[in-house]
Amino acid sequence: MAEHSGPDSGKHKANHANANSAALLHGRAGAGTGAGGLSGGLSQPAGWQSLLSFTILFLAWLAGFSSRLFAVIRFESIIHEFDPWFNYRSTHHLASHGFYEFLNWFDERAWYPLGRIVGGTVYPGLMVTAGLIHWILNMLNITVHIRDVCVFLAPVFSGLTAISTFLLTRELWNQGAGLLAACFIAIVPGYISRSVAGSFDNEGIAIFALQFTYYLWVKSVKTGSVFWTICCCLSYFYMVSAWGGYVFIINLIPLHVFVLLLMQRYSRRVYIAYSTFYIVGLILSMQIPFVGFQPIRTSEHMAAAGVFALLQAYAFLQYLRDRLTKQEFQTLFFLGVSLAAGIVFLSVIYLTYTGEWYAKIHIPIIASVSEHQPTTWVSFFFDLHILVCTFPAGLWFCIKNINDERVFVALYAISAVYFAGVMVRLMLTLTPVVCMLSAIAFSNVFEHYLGDDMKRENPPVEDSSDEDDKRNPGNLIVTMLMLMLLMMFAVHCTWVTSNAYSSPSVVLASYNHDGTRNILDDFREAYYWLRQNTDEHARVMSWWDYGYQIAGMANRTTLVDNNTWNNSHIALVGKAMSSNETAAYEIMRSLDVDYVLIIFGGVIGYSGDDINKFLWMVRIAEGEHPKDIRESDYFTPQGEFRVDKAGSPTLLNCLMYKMSYYRFGEMQLDFRTPPGFDRTRNAEIGNKDIKFKHLEEAFTSEHWLVRIYKVKKLDNRETLDHKPRVTNIVPKQKTAVLDL
Amino acid sequence: PLFAIELLTFYFSAKRTVDLSTHLAKVSAELNLANPPGGAGPAGAFLLALEPGLEPRLAYLGVQVKGEEEEENTLEVRETKVKGKSGKFFTVKLPSPLVPGAKIRVSVEMVFTHVLQPYPTHITQAEKQFVVFEGNHYFYSPYPTKTQTTRVKLASRNIESYTKLGNPSRSEDMLEYGPFKDIPPYSQDTLKVHYENNSPFLTITSMTRVIEVSHWGNIAVEETVDLKHTGAVLKGPFSRYDYQRQPDSGISSVKSFKTILPAAAQDVYYRDEIGNISTSHLLILDDSVEMEIRPRFPLFGGWKTHYIIGYNLPSYEYLYNLGDQYALKMRFVDHVFDEQVTDSLTVKIILPEGAKNIHVDSPYEINRAADELHYTYLDTFGRPVIVAHKNNMVEQHIQDVVVHYTFNKILMLQEPLLVVGAFYILFFTVIIYVRLDFSITKDPAAEARMKVACITEQVLTLVNKRLGLYRHFDEAVNKYKQSRDISTLNSGKKTLETEHKVLTSEIASLQSKLKTEGSDLCDKVSEIQKLDSQVKELVLKSSVEAERLVAGKLKKDTYIENEKLHSNKRQELVTKIDNILDAL
């Protein structure tokens, strides 16, 4: 074979060259003869096609990578937002202490005094991936800092996502659609929002794992080969290790199998694929400590088990059909199938509406996170632009020419649309399927209109001059329109990426009138102060949003953080923030708090500060301590939340209010406003005379964005309620002090 | 080892200035040395002594002699011991032995660190910083002194208290003691000043300076600095409001300072563990790059910070070579801020991979640690790293250190070759992988299919070529029609015939090959052959017609009609062939 293939491929090349020159000749001569053969010759060569595909995929990767670099170029190579800081911190731990230390890591700096078993409460895929890349690079003596690996991981993986989307779409439709899909997913804002450089979060690698698992699943269903299914399981294992969203896979694949059964599309391939996938995938997924026995215990995994049982029953019935008479079989079949289908269907419905995942929405902590809000229509268009309009067309094409794998993509699309409607965050799972289906729609349109042109040229045209006249102008217009749409899509993507999704949120920037930039680096200023100038074991109390950042940047012990696993602990912190100083001091004493950190945006007009989040603290505290904290106390009788004089006295004297506005009443920001004018809430504060008894200001950042208070230790002894006895004896130490 | 010359035994007058205006104590003394007439002989050196309390705080000692033309010569100083006396002693070698009766004037410069103690040790943000200095009223000398004066320069006029030996005169921020006459050797009497000093009490508690030399034209310098405010510790709250609104609030705190980098410094960065420190400014001057460094937060007493500053330098300014001999001349420590104090410094000089015979010339004593190896991009056996430590350093230590080493220039090729080799292996593996068949089982059907596909491909080209021939011939006919030159037609015909023959026979052979492979495509090819022969007939017919037209044997109308008929027929046939080809 080796001897053959050498010269053969050589001839291939020669042939292409011939075909090319012939094409040139043909073009010049204008004679139609042999055109059909030539066009056949041009579409044949696999070499050109794969070169083109490679180039397009490479460019898609490059475009995706570079459009994610806005934040790095504008600011620096830095970890963004909140959760990435924890991921970075654990990756750092993994890189410096090794894998086993990481798995057994008990983090005593979080959830004081409880601590957190990190190894057992994270999806380790992200950290292991980054750690592995770092390890390999360092093995090769490429001395890259782990931070840079973390920062650039998501952009690099976006390229892999593009490739796996290409593969999946190619399996579903054709190569052209695959390339379009790869280009779409590389730049679509819905995915970029979670994968810009610095956004070191699970989703960055999970979308790749998701798409790749689906590709391998489609491949296994198509071929019925155990090899592909095992590959699919390994990819599923990676997905399980990377993101809690693996539940989506373990429900979608059974759903696919179930629908195939309903559509009478059962085949041995499906049987082999699903049986292997379920068993191997189940065992692999249970290897992740955080997942453990969940796959056989919790409700969201039950659909998979049900479909597995159903499939076995169905296969058994198929087997029986060969053995039994028709009459016997029919009775059995109807009984068996309807029973099993009924059970599975009911359980799926039951899980969808009462599953734990959705029950969580009613807990205030979950509801308080902005990304758990329902999606607005605007954000669909904002994140997907033209694709959201074209993807139903792709879906329609798929359903019109249905086959096993297109059933899958249809189910994928429908379920993802539902989830994206429930939560903004899950827009992320919708994005890939929208890209794929839109690519199919676009590819079909182009094929139709561009393809026709080529065929029209084929009939012999004696004179070359009237070739142009015969081209249908309608085709040209449609093609131009489509290209325009795509161009606008690209422009929109870049604009959204640059304006909406490329802010590190740790560093803020403001622009002066002359266009120069001011960097507000208050967060890092305060965190670094904590890191450098407090005791190494100092405990910092803050609202849970800042827990990961304090741990990551200030390297200090926190009480609560973004891993909101303990509601009552968070409620206790919320209670401390919303109580008056004396009550709060008791709570803080019992929690061994040394410092309290709050975010205050009143000076610069930063709206994401703690006063604006304050009602959530009150609500969460009220949930656990309804006797002490009542939300209604913090409203005016008219039911308003006001910080000015009209505000409720409970609010005006609670710890959060006092810490936010301590000495702010003296501050006059400009001449048009009175002193103590809060720029965020546009109100003059109601309590300007704030004094502390148990706290003292320890640090305030330059723009007052971060304020840190020190919790004073108890006085040495009880203060006397009567005056001490006065004597005439002068203490002897006094002279000793002077004698220096 | 002492100097092999006689020591001076007698002595001198001393004029001493103690500068306490910063956080350092800078003592400079002008000494008049004399070898008493009738002495033992010419003296080549003299002794300097340090009080027992101050000796661990001495950072720098330099002795210079003023020559006749006011040029200054630095004298060699060596530490020595004197029996029965505690404290530190130094012997200073004179430029030329002092004969009995001769005199010489030398100036001694000493810098002490951490001798100014803040008192009170804790102050609030609104308070000013006061410090206490404890020293000696007399110039501490191993020799009897004839006259002495001591002048103390303070940071401000605000003096809390001072010792009043000999009724010193006080003016503004200056105290003048003396003159004291005929002081016996080793005289001590405590001088104590308590005064306001708000100058920045900044100390570099530790610093690591890494210099990485690349022979590709770059020297990368990176300094990791731990900084601490060692003045009076801040007591109570830090109020940002007061700090922003009142100019004298936190007067002893440090908001920013200037670091002077070499003029050629490029790509300067200033960062810490959590990223870039955005509060800094860079000013490029003619002879230096001035960097205004602002720590993330103002430094109050007891507060510390940590940062990394790095930059690149072109190597031609610092690296000299003669053949394979190289010399790197760089500052051992560089400027961080004015009046800097470095408690502990580690310098690491990373030389290129393959540097040998390393030898370090330092201007003062340094502690060399064992050399290390450093691995970075494209290294195989590691770069040698020179590690040196020194404690308690001040501005006077900013001096050049010279590192000599040999380096074989051939080694420069190693790294590019490594890259080339890696890519070569990569491409080679891909080539091997693509060209060879690694499947475990052979699939004869697939192989046959591939063979057939290959043959069909060839058939396709040949058929296309053959169709091209007709087009060429058509052109020839057209030309003939215009030029009426029968030779063109004939030659065209000839080439058509011969080439057609060749192509047809080739296709036939391929056809037979297909047959042996047992492919049903063979029939299709034979169909093509059949159709083609018809096409050829038509072509020849039309050429004959054209001949006749030219000869006038045929009317133009009929010719055109016939031609149309022919071309339509031909088109039909060609389409048929095309369809078959497409099916292939």
Side-chain angles (χ1 to χ4, degrees):
Chain A
M1 189 62 218
E3 295 148 52
H4 278 286
S5 65
D8 279 355
S9 48
K11 266 179 203 161
H12 266 290
K13 271 177 201 156
N15 288 348
H16 303 153
N18 285 345
N20 273 347
S21 55
L24 280 174
L25 255 173
H26 162 70
R28 245 178 254 141
T33 47
L38 283 174
S39 66
L42 265 178
S43 68
Q44 199 93 5
W48 276 108
Q49 220 173 8
S50 50
L51 178 68
L52 210 61
S53 309
F54 268 117
T55 321
I56 290 172
L57 284 179
F58 176 72
L59 287 176
W61 189 324
L62 206 69
F65 183 80
S66 35
S67 71
R68 283 167 171 80
L69 298 186
F70 276 110
V72 171
I73 290 162
R74 286 204 192 129
F75 295 94
E76 55 183 287
S77 162
I78 188 185
I79 305 288
H80 292 191
E81 304 209 314
F82 306 104
D83 284 21
W85 273 102
F86 167 73
N87 297 328
Y88 169 61
R89 185 164 159 254
S90 10
T91 312
H92 197 276
H93 189 87
L94 169 70
S96 42
H97 295 92
F99 181 65
Y100 283 100
E101 269 300 308
F102 169 69
L103 276 188
N104 298 323
W105 183 22
F106 179 79
D107 183 8
E108 74 282 358
R109 303 225 137 182
W111 294 95
Y112 182 86
L114 307 166
R116 177 185 177 187
I117 306 159
V118 175
T121 55
V122 289
Y123 291 102
L126 181 74
M127 298 99 190
V128 171
T129 309
L132 194 72
I133 293 173
H134 180 250
W135 182 74
I136 290 171
L137 288 177
N138 275 283
M139 282 288 284
L140 295 171
N141 283 337
I142 298 172
T143 45
V144 178
H145 194 275
I146 184 76
R147 184 194 55 243
D148 291 322
V149 175
C150 294
V151 166
F152 293 103
L153 189 76
V156 168
F157 264 74
S158 73
L160 292 177
T161 310
I163 286 170
S164 48
T165 306
F166 160 74
L167 292 172
L168 180 54
T169 319
R170 193 178 63 177
E171 289 306 318
L172 293 172
W173 203 260
N174 59 22
Q175 184 127 351
L179 290 173
L180 269 176
C183 296
F184 287 158
I185 192 92
I187 57 169
V188 71
Y191 176 41
I192 283 190
S193 65
R194 295 289 167 155
S195 62
V196 290
S199 170
F200 180 55
D201 214 344
N202 293 332
E203 289 94 330
I205 61 168
I207 294 302
F208 156 69
L210 184 84
Q211 288 293 89
F212 201 60
T213 311
Y214 285 156
Y215 159 66
L216 291 168
W217 167 248
V218 164
K219 196 87 187 168
S220 358
V221 169
K222 259 185 159 177
T223 57
S225 112
V226 177
F227 168 75
W228 285 110
T229 319
I230 295 292
C231 290
C232 176
C233 292
L234 289 175
S235 172
Y236 173 66
F237 173 59
Y238 184 62
M239 175 72 188
V240 176
S241 79
W243 193 34
Y246 77 90
V247 177
F248 184 41
I249 298 183
I250 201 62
N251 282 302
L252 184 59
I253 287 178
L255 186 65
H256 179 214
V257 174
F258 184 65
V259 171
L260 284 183
L261 287 186
L262 285 186
M263 291 172 76
Q264 298 273 302
R265 284 178 166 273
Y266 169 82
S267 65
R268 200 159 283 176
R269 292 175 285 118
V270 175
Y271 178 76
I272 293 171
Y274 188 68
S275 302
T276 320
F277 171 79
Y278 180 69
I279 295 168
V280 180
L282 182 78
I283 293 171
L284 283 178
S285 65
M286 283 161 69
Q287 307 308 309
I288 304 297
F290 190 32
V291 175
F293 281 94
Q294 277 183 39
I296 52 170
R297 273 212 314 244
T298 57
S299 50
E300 60 252 45
H301 298 83
M302 283 305 133
V307 170
F308 179 69
L310 181 72
L311 191 68
Q312 301 307 322
Y314 195 94
F316 183 63
L317 280 176
Q318 291 275 332
Y319 172 76
L320 281 185
R321 194 163 62 172
D322 300 342
R323 304 287 157 124
L324 297 175
T325 64
K326 215 168 184 186
Q327 198 55 47
E328 282 171 323
F329 175 73
Q330 264 181 356
T331 344
L332 242 166
F333 176 82
F334 277 116
L335 239 145
V337 169
S338 53
L339 208 73
I343 289 168
V344 171
F345 188 67
L346 284 178
S347 63
V348 166
I349 288 185
Y350 173 77
L351 295 173
T352 317
Y353 289 101
T354 62
E356 286 173 38
W357 203 6
Y358 300 98
K360 281 177 190 162
I361 285 177
H362 303 293
I363 298 174
I365 286 189
I366 304 289
S368 73
V369 178
S370 62
E371 58 184 29
H372 291 166
Q373 307 301 323
T375 318
T376 57
W377 282 108
V378 180
S379 69
F380 273 104
F381 188 76
F382 191 70
D383 277 357
L384 300 167
H385 196 241
I386 192 69
L387 303 187
V388 82
C389 313
T390 52
F391 98 98
L395 189 61
W396 184 71
F397 280 127
C398 278
I399 290 173
K400 209 176 143 208
N401 310 305
I402 200 87
N403 60 20
D404 286 359
E405 57 269 20
R406 285 174 197 162
V407 172
F408 177 76
V409 80
L411 292 171
Y412 183 5
I414 292 161
S415 50
V417 166
Y418 168 70
F419 289 133
V422 171
M423 243 190 229
V424 182
R425 197 156 90 100
L426 295 180
M427 180 69 97
L428 192 62
T429 51
L430 174 65
T431 307
V433 72
V434 164
C435 288
M436 280 158 31
L437 290 175
S438 296
I440 288 172
F442 272 105
S443 155
N444 244 10
V445 170
F446 280 132
E447 219 160 74
H448 186 256
Y449 286 99
L450 288 175
D452 250 6
D453 267 9
M454 269 147 77
K455 268 191 196 138
R456 202 142 307 177
E457 276 172 47
N458 282 350
V461 185
E462 286 293 277
D463 203 344
S464 62
S465 63
D466 53 17
E467 196 181 56
D468 292 338
D469 304 350
K470 294 213 170 167
R471 190 176 279 162
N472 189 344
N475 289 354
L476 203 72
I477 290 170
V478 171
T479 316
M480 292 291 281
L481 256 172
M482 287 290 146
L483 286 176
M484 279 266 284
L485 280 181
L486 290 183
M487 209 177 71
M488 275 153 70
F489 170 68
V491 171
H492 173 82
C493 287
T494 320
W495 179 80
V496 170
T497 310
S498 135
N499 286 289
Y501 295 135
S502 292
S503 161
S505 85
V506 176
V507 188
L508 307 173
S510 69
Y511 292 90
N512 299 335
H513 296 297
D514 57 349
T516 54
R517 192 174 64 159
N518 272 337
I519 287 187
L520 309 182
D521 216 350
D522 283 40
F523 287 105
R524 286 194 291 179
E525 178 186 348
Y527 291 142
Y528 205 64
W529 180 84
L530 272 177
R531 189 188 185 110
Q532 291 292 334
N533 295 305
T534 57
D535 181 73
E536 200 197 340
H537 298 289
R539 290 157 291 260
V540 182
M541 181 172 94
S542 75
W543 191 232
W544 61 264
D545 297 29
Y546 313 105
Y548 279 164
Q549 289 188 348
I550 293 172
M553 284 192 258
N555 195 20
R556 290 294 172 265
T557 308
T558 57
L559 272 73
V560 291
D561 64 29
N562 310 47
N563 176 32
T564 50
W565 64 276
N566 191 330
N567 191 39
S568 62
H569 213 54
I570 293 179
L572 210 55
V573 171
K575 189 184 172 192
M577 296 289 193
S578 35
S579 311
N580 62 41
E581 196 191 343
T582 324
Y585 186 61
E586 256 165 53
I587 298 172
M588 291 190 291
R589 286 286 308 163
S590 66
L591 289 171
D592 290 347
V593 175
D594 294 313
Y595 293 92
V596 189
L597 181 146
I598 57 153
I599 306 296
F600 171 62
V603 174
I604 53 165
Y606 175 73
S607 61
D609 69 351
D610 276 345
I611 291 281
N612 278 1
K613 289 174 187 167
F614 184 59
L615 279 180
W616 286 111
M617 301 182 203
V618 174
R619 267 170 219 160
I620 292 167
E622 188 185 11
E624 295 279 330
H625 309 278
K627 279 183 196 160
D628 306 316
I629 306 290
R630 269 173 306 275
E631 193 182 341
S632 53
D633 293 347
Y634 297 84
F635 290 116
T636 58
Q638 288 77 38
E640 290 171 292
F641 180 73
R642 305 180 68 145
V643 296
D644 56 11
K645 280 204 178 93
S648 93
T650 321
L651 174 69
L652 262 51
N653 288 299
C654 75
L655 186 71
M656 175 55 75
Y657 187 93
K658 282 173 83 175
M659 287 195 297
S660 291
Y661 293 119
Y662 178 62
R663 301 207 69 183
F664 184 67
E666 301 164 43
M667 188 163 181
Q668 187 163 20
L669 287 164
D670 56 51
F671 297 109
R672 282 162 296 176
T673 55
F677 186 80
D678 184 334
R679 279 189 183 162
T680 307
R681 285 153 286 270
N682 282 323
E684 186 186 349
I685 59 166
N687 183 357
K688 287 187 183 175
D689 181 34
I690 297 173
K691 294 262 179 341
F692 281 113
K693 197 175 164 206
H694 305 291
L695 296 176
E696 91 183 11
E697 188 181 8
F699 188 81
T700 296
S701 65
E702 193 179 351
H703 304 96
W704 292 49
L705 202 50
V706 185
R707 308 196 71 178
I708 300 171
Y709 290 84
K710 188 177 179 177
V711 181
K712 284 194 209 160
K713 297 275 172 256
L714 282 176
D715 292 333
N716 268 346
R717 55 196 140 173
E718 297 280 308
T719 44
L720 297 172
D721 48 2
H722 55 86
K723 273 194 172 179
R725 192 164 59 97
V726 183
T727 59
N728 293 329
I729 303 161
V730 182
K732 273 180 182 170
Q733 294 100 305
K734 267 192 178 172
T735 48
V737 170
L738 281 176
D739 185 29
L740 272 166
Chain B
L2 284 169
F3 297 97
I5 16 178
E6 196 88 2
L7 278 169
L8 199 69
T9 50
F10 180 67
Y11 201 70
F12 60 99
S13 77
K15 218 190 239 173
R16 185 170 65 134
T17 310
V18 182
D19 183 357
L20 302 177
S21 60
T22 62
H23 63 306
L24 302 169
K26 291 183 274 187
V27 178
S28 52
E30 247 173 49
L31 309 178
N32 281 310
L33 311 177
N35 199 352
F46 68 98
L47 266 182
L48 269 179
L50 261 186
E51 293 97 325
L54 279 177
E55 82 206 36
R57 306 290 5 130
L58 176 76
Y60 174 78
L61 170 71
V63 186
Q64 287 177 328
V65 66
K66 285 213 172 101
E68 278 115 54
E69 282 125 36
E70 289 294 306
E71 88 272 28
E72 298 193 341
N73 289 319
T74 309
L75 301 182
E76 202 181 331
V77 180
R78 284 194 191 181
E79 201 179 330
T80 183
K81 280 202 170 105
V82 172
K83 268 180 202 160
K85 290 278 167 195
S86 60
K88 249 183 183 171
F89 292 91
F90 301 91
T91 47
V92 183
K93 196 180 166 191
L94 291 169
S96 55
L98 214 58
V99 293
K103 279 184 182 172
I104 191 167
R105 214 170 80 179
V106 295
S107 62
V108 178
E109 197 187 356
M110 289 186 265
V111 181
F112 299 92
T113 58
H114 303 298
V115 287
L116 302 183
Q117 297 301 330
Y119 191 87
T121 53
H122 290 68
I123 54 169
T124 63
Q125 191 180 338
E127 284 172 335
K128 287 163 182 160
Q129 177 172 270
F130 284 83
V131 294
V132 169
F133 173 74
E134 274 187 67
N136 189 353
H137 278 121
Y138 305 115
F139 182 75
Y140 190 69
S141 89
Y143 306 117
T145 333
K146 262 194 185 143
T147 66
Q148 274 192 18
T149 57
T150 295
R151 172 188 278 200
V152 182
K153 192 173 181 295
L154 302 172
S156 66
R157 350 172 17 174
N158 191 356
I159 303 169
E160 196 81 359
S161 69
Y162 58 98
T163 48
K164 299 195 168 90
L165 182 78
N167 203 10
S169 65
R170 179 187 158 183
S171 60
E172 294 279 303
D173 54 352
M174 203 78 89
L175 292 175
E176 282 191 54
Y177 289 91
F180 307 113
K181 302 256 173 186
D182 293 322
I183 309 298
Y186 304 115
S187 308
Q188 261 183 294
D189 187 80
T190 307
L191 172 141
K192 194 166 182 179
V193 198
H194 186 196
Y195 67 103
E196 183 188 333
N197 186 349
N198 288 315
S199 67
F201 270 54
L202 269 187
T203 306
I204 302 167
T205 48
S206 83
M207 171 162 151
T208 309
R209 178 170 155 93
V210 179
I211 299 167
E212 190 173 343
V213 183
S214 159
H215 279 191
W216 296 95
N218 189 55
I219 296 174
V221 182
E222 187 176 280
E223 287 169 356
T224 312
V225 179
D226 278 303
L227 210 60
K228 192 177 178 188
H229 189 297
T230 46
V233 174
L234 177 72
K235 175 175 75 178
F238 159 63
S239 164
R240 177 68 72 168
Y241 179 78
D242 291 340
Y243 189 68
Q244 279 171 342
R245 292 298 145 116
Q246 291 161 23
D248 61 343
S249 170
I251 195 165
S252 61
S253 70
V254 181
K255 203 171 192 177
S256 70
F257 52 87
K258 266 183 192 152
T259 296
I260 295 167
L261 307 178
Q266 281 176 333
D267 318 325
V268 184
Y269 56 89
Y270 169 49
R271 54 179 307 140
D272 56 28
E273 296 103 316
I274 59 172
N276 182 40
I277 303 170
S278 47
T279 48
S280 61
H281 299 281
L282 199 70
L283 188 66
I284 295 167
L285 304 174
D286 285 344
D287 55 347
S288 66
V289 173
E290 211 175 84
M291 188 163 186
E292 194 209 334
I293 288 194
R294 239 179 96 191
R296 288 191 188 274
F297 42 85
L299 287 172
F300 279 84
W303 290 11
K304 58 188 169 59
T305 192
H306 169 96
Y307 67 85
I308 298 165
I309 186 168
Y311 48 89
N312 287 328
L313 297 169
S315 65
Y316 64 84
E317 290 190 11
Y318 300 94
L319 191 63
Y320 306 89
N321 78 312
L322 182 71
D324 283 350
Q325 296 279 335
Y326 284 84
L328 175 77
K329 196 177 173 196
M330 290 275 295
R331 283 177 173 181
F332 188 72
V333 58
D334 211 338
H335 183 268
V336 179
F337 48 86
D338 291 336
E339 315 287 353
Q340 71 195 48
V341 178
T342 313
D343 284 350
S344 146
L345 170 79
T346 306
V347 176
K348 290 185 178 184
I349 302 175
I350 303 170
L351 298 176
E353 200 174 27
K356 271 181 267 184
N357 307 326
I358 300 158
H359 166 72
V360 181
D361 273 346
S362 64
Y364 36 78
E365 201 180 322
I366 53 174
N367 302 323
R368 281 276 297 273
D371 286 2
E372 292 170 0
L373 281 180
H374 176 80
Y375 294 90
T376 180
Y377 302 98
L378 299 172
D379 283 348
T380 43
F381 52 91
R383 308 183 179 201
V385 185
I386 300 166
V387 184
H389 303 284
K390 188 161 173 68
N391 292 338
N392 202 7
M393 298 176 80
V394 288
E395 224 171 43
Q396 278 80 354
H397 287 101
I398 301 179
Q399 288 178 41
D400 284 335
V401 61
V402 184
V403 180
H404 299 275
Y405 61 92
T406 56
F407 178 80
N408 193 345
K409 276 184 185 149
I410 295 288
L411 284 171
M412 296 272 286
L413 285 176
Q414 184 192 335
E415 288 174 2
L417 285 179
L418 218 61
V419 176
V420 170
F423 272 101
Y424 184 78
I425 290 169
L426 176 73
F427 289 139
F428 200 73
T429 334
V430 170
I431 288 170
I432 297 226
Y433 178 76
V434 169
R435 301 260 160 156
L436 294 186
D437 182 14
F438 288 102
S439 61
I440 307 167
T441 52
K442 265 202 172 167
D443 187 355
E447 231 168 275
R449 236 180 291 136
M450 273 171 81
K451 248 182 207 171
V452 170
C454 173
I455 295 169
T456 358
E457 184 89 0
Q458 290 175 42
V459 171
L460 281 178
T461 12
L462 289 175
V463 170
N464 278 332
K465 240 186 203 172
R466 199 160 62 180
L467 292 175
L469 282 181
Y470 299 136
R471 243 180 7 250
H472 276 293
F473 184 62
D474 281 351
E475 274 168 33
V477 172
N478 281 338
K479 229 181 238 169
Y480 163 69
K481 273 192 283 186
Q482 282 160 12
S483 65
R484 294 164 185 256
D485 181 5
I486 194 102
S487 64
T488 44
L489 186 63
N490 284 339
S491 68
K493 212 183 248 171
K494 220 177 188 175
T495 44
L496 174 69
E497 288 287 353
T498 50
E499 282 186 26
H500 188 268
K501 217 177 197 173
V502 174
L503 288 174
T504 313
S505 67
E506 260 179 52
I507 292 173
S509 72
L510 286 175
Q511 191 187 349
S512 63
K513 256 193 204 168
L514 275 180
K515 210 168 196 174
T516 54
E517 291 292 330
S519 166
D520 52 344
L521 294 175
C522 169
D523 305 334
K524 283 185 178 169
V525 175
S526 68
E527 210 179 323
I528 291 176
Q529 294 282 63
K530 252 183 234 159
L531 288 172
D532 181 71
S533 64
Q534 288 174 24
V535 174
K536 196 190 161 199
E537 249 168 57
L538 279 175
V539 169
L540 289 179
K541 223 182 209 168
S542 70
S543 83
V544 172
E545 299 241 306
E547 223 172 311
R548 279 175 65 194
L549 174 77
V550 172
K553 284 173 191 163
L554 201 69
K555 274 187 186 163
K556 207 170 180 180
D557 302 348
T558 38
Y559 171 77
I560 290 172
E561 225 162 79
N562 283 346
E563 191 61 29
K564 222 177 205 171
L565 219 71
H566 282 154
S567 67
N568 280 348
K569 243 186 199 167
R570 211 171 110 187
Q571 203 51 56
E572 236 165 66
L573 290 171
V574 168
T575 330
K576 264 185 196 167
I577 293 176
D578 277 350
N579 286 341
I580 295 171
L581 284 179
D582 280 346
L584 286 177

